[in-house]
Amino acid sequence: MDSNTIIAEARRKGRAALDEAAGKALLASYGIAVPKTRVVKTPEEADAALQGLRLPVVVKVVSPEILHKSDAGGVQVNLASAEAVREAIRTMSALPRIRDALVEGWLIEEMAPAGQEMVIGGLLDPQFGPLIMVGLGGIFVEVLSDVSFRICPITRLDAEEMLDELKGAAILGGARGRKPVSREAIIDVLLKIGGENGLLMQNENDIQEADLNPVIVSDDGAIAVDARFILTHAEVAK
């Protein structure tokens, strides 16, 4: 499914944002790795959904009324059986912020391998157009605001300089005994998001905000574990 089809389907449903499954389909359409995913409507579908998935898995609520799933208690990880998945769905369904929301289903996906958490985002600036951001995940972005921005489209040199500008850049190279992670994999994602033919440039009239958080980077690859896309107002897209 291409980006135009994914975004058009969301707009047809009156959505202001892509749900996580649609967001990951959008990333996959640009060649960005995402976890293997299934969406179920009920806990009883867990057995069938786990066929072909590698355990353990994570389960997340799918709701157009819940953008920040973790804040609502709508994420459970390290689930190693169909029974654990069913129990997780039942437990989360009873939480107040989920019980009172429109819940369209439950996303079940493989857990990503361990690695360095990164954040890659973007926004449509009224003056400069699409901007792209990269930062180290966790405390580095939440407390230290250790991020770097560029106006799109970016080149490979821009992507390399964005990483060099991060105060915690040494962590990527394996500081304090850590295993180095693949800068090449991060640069590849940055170019697929903010490069000349990247997602933000090709969907400039439709994407108001993009948030890939986290992107897990290992020594040989990067995978977007969560993705949030806010759409522009329909008048902008015309």
Side-chain angles (χ1 to χ4, degrees):
M1 190 180 296
D2 63 23
S3 61
N4 290 333
T5 303
I6 294 168
I7 292 169
E9 178 64 11
R11 290 198 184 280
R12 187 186 66 78
K13 294 178 178 176
R15 302 284 174 79
L18 301 184
D19 63 33
E20 185 170 344
K24 286 179 173 171
L26 180 61
L27 293 177
S29 74
Y30 281 84
I32 296 169
V34 295
K36 189 179 291 185
T37 296
R38 304 278 190 276
V39 177
V40 300
K41 297 286 188 184
T42 68
E44 289 69 31
E45 298 173 52
D47 286 283
L50 290 182
Q51 299 296 320
L53 294 186
R54 183 188 65 247
L55 296 173
V57 296
V58 56
V59 177
K60 306 175 184 179
V61 65
V62 179
S63 169
E65 298 175 1
I66 302 175
L67 273 181
H68 300 285
K69 297 177 285 294
S70 295
D71 293 347
V75 179
Q76 288 204 17
V77 302
N78 279 320
L79 304 174
S81 68
E83 180 54 35
V85 170
R86 284 192 288 272
E87 183 60 28
I89 293 174
R90 293 183 185 117
T91 299
M92 289 189 284
S93 297
L95 297 175
R97 291 179 61 180
I98 296 176
R99 184 188 59 215
D100 297 336
L102 172 63
V103 174
E104 296 181 334
W106 301 89
L107 184 146
I108 304 172
E109 67 181 18
E110 295 179 348
M111 294 194 65
Q116 174 63 46
E117 288 191 9
M118 301 290 296
V119 179
I120 295 175
L123 60 87
L124 182 60
D125 183 89
Q127 182 174 359
F128 298 108
L131 306 179
I132 186 169
M133 177 275 289
V134 67
L136 295 171
I139 190 172
F140 291 95
V141 67
E142 294 170 5
V143 178
L144 304 177
S145 299
D146 185 12
V147 297
S148 177
F149 281 88
R150 287 292 188 282
I151 298 173
C152 296
I154 61 170
T155 65
R156 180 182 179 82
L157 178 59
D158 292 323
E160 291 174 344
E161 290 178 345
M162 290 174 75
L163 295 181
D164 291 339
E165 288 171 4
L166 298 177
K167 298 179 183 68
I171 291 174
L172 303 178
R176 298 182 65 84
R178 292 171 177 242
K179 192 174 183 179
V181 301
S182 174
R183 281 176 57 100
E184 191 62 35
I186 305 170
I187 290 169
D188 181 63
V189 176
L190 285 170
L191 291 173
K192 287 173 177 173
I193 294 292
E196 185 173 5
N197 296 309
L199 187 157
L200 294 177
M201 291 301 296
Q202 292 195 339
N203 301 282
E204 178 177 354
N205 293 330
D206 288 300
I207 303 297
Q208 182 63 48
E209 294 181 26
D211 186 20
L212 284 61
N213 184 14
V215 176
I216 305 294
V217 187
S218 64
D219 60 343
D220 65 354
I223 182 167
V225 174
D226 204 351
R228 185 170 63 96
F229 290 93
I230 307 296
L231 301 178
T232 58
H233 293 296
E235 293 76 14
V236 177
K238 291 178 181 177

